[in-house]
């Protein structure tokens, strides 16, 4: 990924001008006090109406814009507000979790991660390198990993109804990454239920060969799993004995992060 200075130095031939035009359209629309006509947007942006219409259609398909049926005018929806709220919340989780991730990394002697759900996938939002400073390829801030073969994914899928699970499988599929990857709906659902029963989840070389991961849920004030902290390392070091020795403290750490987010633990579960 280019650094910020590299991006700033790129000329227009190196950047995606269509993306810039789309962002300009969204910026103009965000400043309007009422829905706008296609020709007004075209004139304001100095773009062809066909180009603006194509961008508007894309925004409508993704739910960022809508068209008034009576007037034919366009306006932005509140989906962007929801994204902004999610970013704000996730930044808070990152800030709260970071010192705990450092503690977990020292505890296991491995890399510790904080992940959230994004578009029916797992996104890494914070990573603390282990002493060896060797990370598997997926574990970089901003990177995306599949739900069905990651430990955190199995925790986040506890929020899904059976119908939502079927939809996720239909959209994302259950691709095989290793010989241990769960590739059936039945197998995945069983793994999610096991994670619910245990209170934590494993990835036993399901995403990358030779890499094992254990994850614990992070809950917000509603009790919903909003993130997961995980520890990853080579199978030679992430043995059952090593994980078992550190598991109680690891789970307590996840609970402490959850408490900071307003979760009251067993007391709250009894009242729900």
């Amino acid at each position: 990924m280019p650094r910020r200075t590299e991006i700033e130095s790129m000329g227009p031939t190196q950047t995606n001008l269509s993306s810039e035009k789309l962002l300009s359209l969204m910026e103009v629309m965000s400043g309007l006090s009422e829905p706008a006509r296609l020709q007004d947007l075209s004139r304001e942006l100095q773009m062809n109406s066909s180009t603006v219409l194509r961008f508007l259609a894309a925004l409508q398909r993704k739910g960022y814009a809508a068209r008034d049926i009576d007037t034919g005018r366009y306006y932005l929806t509140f989906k962007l507000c929801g994204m902004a709220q999610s970013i704000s919340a996730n930044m808070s989780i990152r800030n709260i979790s970071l010192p705990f991730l450092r503690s977990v990394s020292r505890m296991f002697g491995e890399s510790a991660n904080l992940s959230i759900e994004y578009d029916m996938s797992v996104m890494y939002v914070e990573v603390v390198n282990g002493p060896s400073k060797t990370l598997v390829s997926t574990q970089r801030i901003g990177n995306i990993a599949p739900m069905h073969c990651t430990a955190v994914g199995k925790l986040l899928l506890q929020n899904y109804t059976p119908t939502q699970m079927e939809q996720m499988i239909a959209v994302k599929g259950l691709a095989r990454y290793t010989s241990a990857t769960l590739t059936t709906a039945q197998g995945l659902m069983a793994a999610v239920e096991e994670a619910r029963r245990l209170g934590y989840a494993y990835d036993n070389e399901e995403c990358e060969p030779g890499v094992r991961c254990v994850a614990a849920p992070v809950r917000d004030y509603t009790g919903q799993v909003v993130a997961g902290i995980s520890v990853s390392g080579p199978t030679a070091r992430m043995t059952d004995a090593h994980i078992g020795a550190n598991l109680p403290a690891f789970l307590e750490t996840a609970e402490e992060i959850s408490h900071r987010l307003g979760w009251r633990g067993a007391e709250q579960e009894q009242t729900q």
Side-chain angles (χ1 to χ4, degrees):
M1 181 179 294
R3 298 175 182 173
R4 184 166 182 263
T5 53
E6 292 173 341
I7 293 173
E8 290 173 344
S9 65
M10 289 180 179
T13 58
Q14 297 172 283
T15 56
N16 190 328
L17 293 179
S18 293
S19 298
E20 292 182 7
K21 290 178 180 178
L22 176 60
L23 291 171
S24 296
L25 170 61
M26 295 176 73
E27 288 174 354
V28 168
M29 294 180 70
S30 68
L32 299 176
S33 58
E34 59 184 15
R37 299 183 305 170
L38 172 61
Q39 53 266 45
D40 293 335
L41 292 170
S42 177
R43 184 173 57 253
E44 176 69 21
L45 292 161
Q46 297 183 345
M47 295 183 198
N48 294 330
S49 295
S50 59
T51 300
V52 176
L53 184 60
R54 186 174 72 252
F55 290 147
L56 287 169
L59 290 173
Q60 285 180 270
R61 285 194 299 271
K62 298 296 291 184
Y64 292 103
R67 184 172 181 265
D68 189 293
I69 297 175
D70 295 328
T71 65
R73 299 185 179 213
Y74 296 88
Y75 59 92
L76 293 179
T77 68
F78 284 94
K79 185 173 182 179
L80 284 171
C81 297
M83 289 180 64
Q85 186 176 12
S86 296
I87 291 170
S88 177
N90 292 333
M91 285 300 296
S92 297
I93 294 175
R94 286 181 65 186
N95 294 339
I96 291 170
S97 301
L98 185 55
F100 293 102
L101 289 177
R102 294 189 181 116
S103 174
V104 166
S105 179
R106 291 192 297 269
M107 185 190 305
F108 281 86
E110 303 291 348
S111 299
N113 318 286
L114 173 70
S115 307
I116 61 169
E117 180 183 356
Y118 176 78
D119 191 28
M120 293 187 286
S121 299
V122 173
M123 175 185 283
Y124 295 91
V125 294
E126 190 59 80
V127 177
V128 174
N129 289 351
S132 65
K133 297 184 180 180
T134 56
L135 289 173
V136 291
S137 60
T138 57
Q139 293 165 347
R140 300 289 188 275
I141 294 175
N143 274 15
I144 302 294
M147 299 272 272
H148 70 285
C149 60
T150 53
V152 171
K154 295 170 188 174
L155 298 176
L156 293 169
L157 284 173
Q158 293 177 32
N159 298 327
Y160 279 43
T161 65
T163 299
Q164 290 172 326
M165 182 85 79
E166 291 175 3
Q167 182 183 15
M168 186 278 293
I169 294 172
V171 173
K172 297 294 185 178
L174 298 174
R176 181 178 295 279
Y177 292 89
T178 74
S179 60
T181 302
L182 299 172
T183 57
T184 66
Q186 183 178 5
L188 178 59
M189 290 178 182
V192 171
E193 287 307 309
E194 181 184 34
R196 192 193 308 275
R197 177 179 60 83
L198 293 175
Y200 57 92
Y202 284 111
D203 158 14
N204 288 313
E205 299 185 81
E206 296 162 46
C207 192
E208 298 197 31
V211 176
R212 196 179 190 199
C213 177
V214 61
V218 173
R219 302 177 185 274
D220 67 3
Y221 65 94
T222 69
Q224 186 177 43
V225 179
V226 293
I229 59 171
S230 60
V231 181
S232 303
T235 54
R237 295 200 299 261
M238 289 288 285
T239 62
D240 287 343
H242 184 53
I243 292 174
N246 292 289
L247 187 60
F250 178 56
L251 296 178
E252 287 178 8
T253 300
E255 286 190 5
E256 183 57 35
I257 297 172
S258 299
H259 290 322
R260 301 288 179 93
L261 295 174
W263 183 59
R264 300 196 306 276
E267 172 193 350
Q268 180 172 337
E269 291 178 352
Q270 292 171 0
T271 60
Q272 289 181 337

